[in-house]
Amino acid sequence: MYNFSFQNPTKLIFGEGQISKIASSIPKDKKVLVIYGGGSIKNNGVYDKVSAALAEHQWSEFGGIEPNPGFHTCLKALEQIKADGSEYLLAVGGGSVADATKFIAGAACFNGDPLTILTEGAKVHQALPLGVVLTLPATGSESNPNGVVTRYETQDKMPFYSRALYPQFAVLDPTVTYSLPEKQVANGIVDAFVHTIEQYLTFPVGADLQDRIAEGILRTLMDNGPKALSEPKNYNVRANVMWSATMALNGLIGLGVPQDWSTHFIGHELTALHGLDHGQTLAVILPGMMEEKREQKREKLLQYAREVLAIEHGTEDERIDRAIEETRAFFESLGVQTRLSDYGVGEDDIPPMIAALKKHNMVALGEHQDVTPEVSAAVLKRCL
């Protein structure tokens, strides 16, 4: 197991009716800016609950964050912060809203062009404090310091990171997910699943506890994912999905282990160039990546087959084949298609995606840094 240090400062407030707790989680003397997406929170009762919780606070709101948060939309929020004098940000939504709010929080205290945070990896040392009311379990953004923002005019989907961007708290109420469209629920489950895979399906380093936790998350998502669609108001099912998504990317299972993330970075280009949902890109890329890198990932693929999928019979190659097939079948069971052709993307579209990876310096991906542009192209061809 590799050396590591770990500190996650986000307070997690979990359960039905817990949105009221934001009243005591944000100092009363702070001016709050509530940031949200397309307005669904005004139809499902979440907005009213947040309003009630902030009754003793001075607050304003900013809506319109896109499913892939746009850089220029974030700049508009920055203008409102300057006009209102907001001192505390509250993201109410899914991972996209949380990501945007993190970027806004850092950019509000950044001395320079905020675009350089994305394009040059400029360091964010200070940020406005922020909290999250999670409405869509998927990204784990509610308790990590990462985010992704898209610059639409250049078709660039760009990640950022700073420890200053950890939310101070996050409220996770499974009941607010009951009214989500099936597509969003399914994409969220895929996202959480692949987050876990990216930190697990690499090579063994003797991190037994991290492996057991990761396997538990994967099995929980496979057990509860289809039920979340067939039983949308089953509290225990939705609670297990929500908690799994948070645990998948709060840093815990990635401690002391090699990590991959090549599926995610290739997927970002698929979203930027072709508009696929993030979860859709992962469902397409992961099976192809597992197949292309099966020799480098052989030991962990066999462990995944045995410990997660209970595949114990057959030759090693037969078990690996079946593990890849069952992973694809799981995504399909959620209604998420797993081939580029399902989304109208063909072989002629691969070179522009490879060019975009090169543009963003994504030329040595994976746990061995051996996912070159040529390997990425081979993966994409397997995804056709």
Side-chain angles (χ1 to χ4, degrees):
M1 192 190 312
Y2 302 160
N3 294 347
F4 63 83
S5 61
F6 180 60
Q7 181 183 18
N8 188 319
T10 303
K11 179 181 180 181
L12 298 172
I13 306 168
F14 190 97
E16 184 174 4
Q18 296 300 290
I19 291 177
S20 62
K21 295 290 180 66
I22 65 177
S24 57
S25 300
I26 303 175
K28 294 290 194 302
D29 61 344
K30 297 294 184 183
K31 293 183 179 179
V32 180
L33 178 64
V34 175
I35 299 175
Y36 56 91
S40 61
I41 65 168
K42 293 188 175 181
N43 299 323
N44 62 15
V46 174
Y47 181 88
D48 292 338
K49 293 176 182 178
V50 170
S51 298
L54 292 175
E56 297 183 15
H57 289 76
Q58 184 178 349
W59 63 283
S60 55
E61 62 187 79
F62 180 89
I65 300 296
E66 304 91 341
N68 292 292
F71 172 70
H72 283 293
T73 304
C74 293
L75 292 185
K76 292 178 183 177
L78 283 172
E79 293 174 1
Q80 183 167 329
I81 287 171
K82 292 177 182 177
D84 295 346
S86 301
E87 304 163 288
Y88 201 110
L89 308 184
L90 181 64
V92 183
S96 295
V97 174
D99 281 8
T101 301
K102 291 178 188 176
F103 180 78
I104 294 162
C109 301
F110 185 72
N111 184 20
D113 183 354
L115 181 60
T116 61
I117 298 171
L118 303 173
T119 58
E120 301 175 15
K123 302 297 183 184
V124 173
H125 299 289
Q126 186 179 359
L128 293 178
L130 68 133
V132 178
V133 176
L134 185 66
T135 62
L136 172 59
T139 69
S141 190
E142 65 275 5
S143 65
N144 68 45
N146 315 314
V148 181
V149 165
T150 297
R151 195 178 184 201
Y152 282 97
E153 63 268 32
T154 57
Q155 293 184 303
D156 293 321
K157 188 171 179 178
M158 298 171 286
F160 61 92
Y161 162 88
S162 170
R163 289 195 61 84
L165 301 178
Y166 270 107
Q168 294 198 351
F169 71 89
V171 178
L172 288 73
D173 181 345
T175 66
V176 307
T177 72
Y178 288 173
S179 62
L180 287 171
E182 285 190 4
K183 181 181 179 182
Q184 290 186 9
V185 175
N187 281 334
I189 292 165
V190 172
D191 197 11
F193 188 92
V194 181
H195 283 160
T196 309
I197 286 286
E198 297 269 41
Q199 300 166 87
Y200 169 77
L201 199 65
T202 55
F203 57 87
V205 293
D208 294 350
L209 180 60
Q210 290 91 316
D211 279 358
R212 297 296 87 76
I213 297 172
E215 289 158 1
I217 294 170
L218 295 170
R219 291 174 63 179
T220 300
L221 288 169
M222 295 188 97
D223 288 345
N224 289 276
K227 294 178 185 175
L229 301 178
S230 63
E231 305 172 34
K233 294 188 177 181
N234 184 321
Y235 181 84
N236 285 333
V237 166
R238 289 302 179 105
N240 278 295
V241 168
M242 180 171 262
W243 187 231
S244 293
T246 296
M247 291 296 291
L249 202 59
N250 67 356
L252 187 63
I253 63 172
L255 298 174
V257 301
Q259 299 184 28
D260 185 348
W261 300 110
S262 55
T263 293
H264 267 76
F265 287 125
I266 297 171
H268 284 173
E269 306 304 347
L270 196 49
T271 293
L273 295 175
H274 296 281
L276 274 70
D277 298 339
H278 180 55
Q280 292 172 333
T281 72
L282 302 179
V284 167
I285 300 297
L286 180 63
M289 183 64 69
M290 294 166 83
E291 183 60 54
E292 182 68 24
K293 304 300 291 183
R294 63 187 290 149
E295 292 307 318
Q296 291 89 340
K297 296 178 180 290
R298 176 171 288 267
E299 287 185 76
K300 291 305 284 283
L301 274 167
L302 290 168
Q303 181 178 326
Y304 168 66
R306 181 182 66 251
E307 301 295 337
V308 178
L309 302 172
I311 299 171
E312 299 183 2
H313 302 293
T315 67
E316 288 189 354
D317 281 333
E318 287 171 344
R319 281 176 273 158
I320 289 172
D321 287 341
R322 188 174 160 197
I324 296 171
E325 290 169 4
E326 290 197 14
T327 303
R328 186 185 297 278
F330 170 60
F331 296 153
E332 297 274 2
S333 76
L334 300 171
V336 184
Q337 296 172 309
T338 59
R339 295 287 184 183
L340 288 172
S341 56
D342 294 326
Y343 302 97
V345 179
E347 189 165 0
D348 291 344
D349 296 307
I350 293 176
M353 284 189 274
I354 300 305
L357 285 168
K358 291 178 180 177
K359 173 185 175 182
H360 298 134
N361 200 33
M362 299 297 173
V363 296
L365 302 174
E367 63 270 27
H368 298 291
Q369 292 80 56
D370 61 353
V371 180
T372 63
E374 292 74 22
V375 173
S376 294
V379 170
L380 287 165
K381 287 180 181 178
R382 290 184 181 275
C383 299
L384 292 169

